[in-house]
Amino acid sequence: MADQDDVNDLDMLQQVSEDEGDDVVRDEEEEEGEDLLENMERDYRENSALDRYEAEGLDEDAEEVLDEGDLMAARRAAEEELDARDGVMGRGGRALPRALGEDDDDEPRRRRRMSFSQGMSEEPAVQVNIEDVRGRISEWIAQEQVAGEVKRRFRHFLKTFEDGLGERYYVQRIKDMQSNSKKSLEVQYNHLSGTHPVLAIWLADSPRLVLELFDAAARDVVLEMFEGTEEAYAAMGSEYEVHVRMANLPICDKLRDLRNYHLNGLVRVTGVVTRRTGVFPQLRVVKYDCAKCGYVLGPFTQTGEQEIKPNTCPNCSSKGPFMVNSAETIYRDFQKLTLQESPGTVPAGRLPRHKEVILLHDLIDCARPGEEVDITGMYVYGYDASLNIKNSFPVFSTHIEANHVAKKEDLFSIYSLTDEDKTAIHALAKDPTIGQRIIRSIAPSIYGHEFIKTGLAMALFGGQEKHPSPAYRLRGDINVLLLGDPGVAKSQFLKYVEKTAMRAVYTTGKGASAVGLTASVHRDPITKEWTLEGGALVLADKGVCLIDEFDKMNDQDRVSIHEAMEQQSISISKAGIVTQLQARCSVIAAANPIGGRYDPSKTLAENVELSDPILSRFDVMCVVRDQVDPIQDQRLAEFVIGNHMRSHPDREDGAGDNMPGPQNDPDIIPQDLLRKYITYSKQNCKPQLQQADYDRLMEVYSRLRAEASRTHGMPIAVRHLESLIRMSEAHARMHLREYVSDDDINVAIRQMVGSFIQTQKYSVHKTLEKRFKRFLTYGTDFHQLLLSLLKGLLQEVQRDVRLQGLMLHEEETYKISVRSLEDKAREHEIYDLKDFYGSNLFKGAGFNLDTGSNHIMFKA
């Protein structure tokens, strides 16, 4: 009966209309509200019609006992079935709340290492569209989700970016950084802009925020690749950091073009470092001690130049004083550079401008005064009280916080040479004529002057420095003096060396004083202490110092470089500072004779106002005379005209291509490859002289000493014996040899003997040439030697014609006897001239062989 009553009650409830039910419920709620506990027991009454279970799938007799593994397997199967059901029904993924999930810190680091090594799979993306910028970029990047996505993308970039060979470029860079114990990772801007253009744009607009995220992402990648790095630094009491350095920003601004719209952005500038301060510790994260209660306040992060100090102590509510807690305060290295516009970029009639550059962390001491650098950094402003007082209204000073510093000489340094460069260098070294090719490649736009080019090539390569004892050293640098008539390209040679040498300082004799060449003492405007400032010789350390108009220097100024040219050091004793500065450089000087032109009837001392002590310090002396030679003058004129035609900005196609010039010579090495060859040779090649070679050097030295005492030409001293050794080693470096061969010694002897003979009077010149002819002709080309002898005979014929007062018409020619040329050749042990007569060199010089009259004809 009870069951029947229940069924009737349900039927009655179904018969109530929806409108009436709503009215009843609304009335009850308005009067006293709904009572949930009333008639609660009716919900739990027994109902046989509804209390039934499906019998399918149930086994009441079996009592199964599952172990823990089976339970976990069953649970996983159930979870997979529920996940599949949720996917079909369009629901979101089923996941535990984050509070109930596993802690990331408890995950074994070994598992992370395994995931990184197995393909470096991409991390799960954060569900945020960072391209949809809302508001200012700085505020958008500061959001946690956006910052996380930026770091994730940069981590993926470092892990997966591949170069042209299919290798992971930055993974290898990170390994090299760790192997060298560095903390800076250089990233190419074009790589980032090509892969993630949004990050590249944000980096240029908000570099401070983006670089902080890049540093954190790079640090995560390094710690993921190298376990235990963070613990090792923590054991030393420091925090491991990685600094991302952005290189090769596409836009390069001038210092004078920086404006207010560049503020707080990433800029790239170039210039010359004129001044560098010392390294100071700068507060990075500071803590203070309250002097009254001893409470430690902080940490406070220093972001600008103004020091952040607390106002009150939270413990005792006192207003100080507060002392810096040096034990818990974190410092960073700080240094300032003064960057000045490069001389070649200053507009005409303007003065060069300068800007201060701040170096932090491992960028300190990366550039020295006198070096040309390329700096990428943030252009920011700072408060300057002196400017405000001077201008009576708020004016802010500006400076650059450097992120990346690249030196001009680093472009060809040994560390930047690629495998392709080294392969090309070794391929060049296998050429047996590489020495001649290098000499021809020195200043290819200047015609002739092979003797000068040989001396400059030896100065660029240099000899091997030696240390017989800790207190004594033998220099390996080669000094060269160019002495000659005006208009023989002496200054052009110096300018070429300035552009080619890795490190070069150019100065002139009249514009350089003793202080400007050596060092000066002045008071530092910041620390108010006496400091040293290096001159041209100090700035050219490990490089080349070029001095033009050497004869115009004062005697007092010239004496100051005596020590620098031989001992290669500069001693200072001024204002209480007693020290020695290094000046390990080659000195290449150019001078004019007394009266402007070199007089061959006088000795060297009568032609130039230079003392013997300074002359003896030059290893190679090149006396260049402007002599009249119709053949040479014609070829020189064609060479110069061809260069002008090819170099014209509005040059037509093919104009000047048929004229002689360096572009038609296949032996000339490209200048970039030549600079890399010189750098590689100086860094890796250390040739050594053999014991059997000393006898020959001593023989030449004794003969030169004997002739110098009779002729009163260039003074020969023990220094010149060392010069022979240095030049032999320099020529061996041209061939990348680890030993000095006979060929190297013969070329060095030829260079030394040539220097000695050129400085003699004309009356002694011919006699010495005959005595030392076996040294002078060694290593010269067979055909070149014969052509030189033939030109000498032509000059004698032309001189005879002028003395006789005869004038030749244009169609007439000079006649040179074949027998006279054969006699000259026989003196040099050359007996067969048939190949020479048929060579292009013979015909190209304008000579023809007339077999009928047995004469060599030359058309005037």
Side-chain angles (χ1 to χ4, degrees), residues 312-379:
T312 59
C313 177
N315 188 34
C316 63
S317 301
S318 65
K319 295 185 178 181
F322 302 102
M323 308 298 292
V324 175
N325 188 332
S326 58
E328 299 186 22
T329 298
I330 301 176
Y331 301 90
R332 62 181 173 187
D333 294 325
F334 174 90
Q335 190 178 45
K336 271 189 179 181
L337 296 180
T338 300
L339 188 70
Q340 182 176 287
E341 287 181 304
S342 300
T345 62
V346 180
R350 304 289 183 87
L351 294 177
R353 297 187 181 180
H354 60 86
K355 188 71 66 178
E356 285 190 345
V357 180
I358 293 179
L359 305 180
L360 301 174
H361 303 295
D362 57 346
L363 287 181
I364 60 168
D365 289 338
C366 64
R368 294 183 295 178
E371 291 180 333
E372 188 172 351
V373 294
D374 187 325
I375 294 180
T376 303
M378 293 172 283
Y379 185 58

Side-chain angles (χ1 to χ4, degrees), residues 78-99:
E79 291 288 344
E80 292 174 358
E81 185 177 354
L82 291 175
D83 290 340
R85 183 200 66 183
D86 292 339
V88 172
M89 297 178 64
R91 301 178 184 174
R94 300 175 68 254
L96 288 174
R98 187 171 181 83

Side-chain angles (χ1 to χ4, degrees), residues 688-712:
Q688 187 175 3
L689 201 65
Q690 304 298 323
Q691 183 66 33
D693 301 327
Y694 288 105
D695 296 336
R696 299 175 55 204
L697 295 177
M698 288 187 290
E699 177 192 355
V700 174
Y701 169 69
S702 61
R703 292 186 61 181
L704 288 176
R705 285 275 292 178
E707 294 294 341
S709 64
R710 292 195 296 265
T711 58
H712 304 288

Side-chain angles (χ1 to χ4, degrees), residues 101-112:
E102 295 181 357
D103 191 1
D104 292 341
D105 294 339
D106 296 336
E107 183 181 5
R109 197 172 294 178
R110 175 168 42 84
R111 189 178 304 169
R112 289 187 297 172

Side-chain angles (χ1 to χ4, degrees), residues 461-636:
F461 281 88
Q464 179 59 42
E465 180 181 343
K466 304 175 184 66
H467 296 270
S469 65
Y472 177 61
R473 61 182 292 273
L474 294 173
R475 64 180 172 95
D477 299 298
I478 297 175
N479 301 324
V480 181
L481 175 64
L482 307 181
L483 178 66
D485 297 337
V488 290
K490 297 189 300 295
S491 298
Q492 287 298 106
F493 277 119
L494 298 187
K495 283 294 183 182
Y496 171 81
V497 174
E498 182 190 12
K499 301 298 182 184
T500 305
M502 262 180 41
R503 183 179 178 87
V505 177
Y506 184 91
T507 184
T508 58
K510 215 44 176 169
S513 61
V515 172
L517 285 174
T518 55
S520 62
V521 179
H522 65 96
R523 193 181 294 271
D524 190 278
I526 297 178
T527 61
K528 305 300 180 184
E529 296 179 354
W530 289 102
T531 58
L532 281 175
E533 185 170 341
L537 292 169
V538 178
L539 297 180
D541 187 34
K542 294 294 186 70
V544 181
C545 182
L546 308 165
I547 306 176
D548 202 359
E549 305 295 340
F550 191 60
D551 57 303
K552 307 299 189 299
M553 291 179 62
N554 297 327
D555 292 338
Q556 295 83 1
D557 299 336
R558 199 182 295 123
V559 168
S560 64
I561 67 174
H562 281 200
E563 179 189 3
M565 290 185 65
E566 189 60 37
Q567 280 75 36
Q568 295 195 315
S569 63
I570 295 173
S571 301
I572 298 295
S573 179
K574 298 178 182 178
I577 300 175
V578 180
T579 184
Q580 266 195 346
L581 300 178
Q582 298 290 339
R584 297 160 294 183
C585 63
S586 296
V587 176
I588 302 178
N592 290 323
I594 299 175
R597 286 190 171 272
Y598 191 87
D599 188 355
S601 63
K602 297 180 181 179
T603 61
L604 177 68
E606 296 172 347
N607 270 289
V608 64
E609 290 182 346
L610 295 176
S611 60
D612 286 351
I614 196 73
L615 288 176
S616 65
R617 284 169 165 79
F618 286 102
D619 302 286
V620 181
M621 295 184 63
C622 305
V623 177
V624 192
R625 296 180 56 203
D626 187 10
Q627 295 178 324
V628 178
D629 186 344
I631 302 175
Q632 286 293 100
D633 292 344
Q634 181 180 357
R635 301 182 70 177
L636 175 61

